[in-house]
Amino acid sequence: MKQIQFGQKAQNKIESLSQNIEHLYLVGGIPRDFYLFGKHKTDDIDLTTDLPVEAIRDRVPSNYFQSNEAFTVCINAGDSVIEITPFKGKDLNEDLESRDLTINAIAIPIVNGELDYSRVCDEVGGFRDIQYKVLRTMREQNFIDDPLRILRLFRFQSKLGFDIENLTWRYAVNN
C-alpha cells in the first residue's frame, strides 16, 4: 500500500513534533488527495491538535517556526511548510465538523512520527463523499464563518467534477 510521504526535513520535524504533542493529526488536502488520487508526495502539510497555540509554541523548538497568524504555528521544513492549528471546538470531531467540506475533514493521527492509517477519523463522511463524488458541508455556519469557502466549493466542483449536495447548494446561495 502506498503511504503519504513527506520530504526528509518535514519528516524529521513531524517526528519531533509528535514526541512533544500527544494528539496530533494530519488534516485537510493531504488526506483528501491521498484517498482521491493516490497522491502520496506532498509539501503543504496541515496539522491540528488539542493544544492552544501558546502551548504549541512552547513545545516547538523556537528555531522551527514563524508565527504568521494568531491561531497558526508555521514551521519551515525545507521545501515544505507545516501549519499547526488548535482544534476549532472542544475536540477533534468539532474541528472536523467546522471544516469547509467533508472531503477536507478526514484526520490521520500521527503517533511517534508515523501516520496511523488504522485509526483514521472520518466522522463526517468524507470517504463516502469522495466515493460518490459529492461536495457537502456539515452546516451552514461553516460558510457564514468564512465566505471564501463558497468560492472553494465551486473551485472544487470545477476541478474535481463533483456534484454539490442540495443542502450545501442552498447554504452557498443563501450566503
Side-chain angles (χ1 to χ4, degrees), residues 19 48 88 103:
Q19 299 303 316
T48 191
K88 294 171 187 83
I103 65 171

Side-chain angles (χ1 to χ4, degrees), residues 11-12 16 27-28 42 58 68 81 90-91 95 97 116-118 123 128 131-132 154 160-161 163:
Q11 182 62 45
N12 291 343
S16 176
V27 292
T42 186
D58 289 344
N68 68 347
V81 174
K90 69 178 185 321
D91 58 22
D95 179 86
E97 289 173 0
D116 185 350
Y117 296 97
S118 69
E123 297 299 317
R128 180 193 61 229
Q131 178 184 0
Y132 290 107
F154 292 112
L160 301 175
D163 293 325

Side-chain angles (χ1 to χ4, degrees), residues 29-171:
I30 294 173
R32 176 198 66 230
D33 289 349
F34 179 69
Y35 291 110
L36 184 59
F37 303 119
K39 180 180 173 190
H40 60 282
K41 293 185 180 179
T42 186
D43 58 4
D44 179 20
I45 304 165
D46 295 320
L47 306 178
T48 191
T49 183
D50 58 348
L51 298 175
V53 74
E54 298 80 16
I56 297 168
R57 286 189 185 125
D58 289 344
R59 294 173 190 217
V60 174
S62 61
N63 63 332
Y64 268 27
F65 71 87
Q66 62 185 35
S67 183
N68 68 347
E69 296 180 29
F71 303 107
T72 304
V73 174
C74 295
I75 300 171
N76 297 319
D79 293 337
S80 301
V81 174
I82 301 170
E83 293 184 353
I84 309 174
T85 57
F87 290 162
K88 294 171 187 83
K90 69 178 185 321
D91 58 22
L92 179 62
N93 287 340
E94 280 191 16
D95 179 86
L96 297 176
E97 289 173 0
S98 74
R99 293 186 177 269
D100 59 352
L101 300 167
T102 59
I103 65 171
N104 295 326
I106 298 168
I108 305 174
I110 301 172
V111 179
N112 298 320
E114 300 293 325
L115 295 171
D116 185 350
Y117 296 97
S118 69
R119 295 187 315 136
V120 173
C121 183
D122 178 29
E123 297 299 317
V124 297
F127 287 131
R128 180 193 61 229
D129 290 346
I130 287 171
Q131 178 184 0
Y132 290 107
K133 300 183 183 312
V134 173
L135 297 172
R136 183 172 55 92
T137 192
M138 285 64 64
R139 56 186 183 216
E140 186 172 18
Q141 191 65 41
N142 295 349
F143 289 157
I144 294 168
D145 290 344
D146 185 354
L148 286 177
R149 291 175 170 178
I150 297 169
L151 294 176
R152 286 176 50 95
L153 171 71
F154 292 112
R155 187 187 78 186
F156 281 118
Q157 180 192 34
S158 173
K159 179 180 172 185
L160 301 175
F162 283 19
D163 293 325
I164 298 175
E165 179 259 347
N166 289 337
L167 191 56
T168 298
W169 176 261
R170 247 186 287 153
Y171 293 160

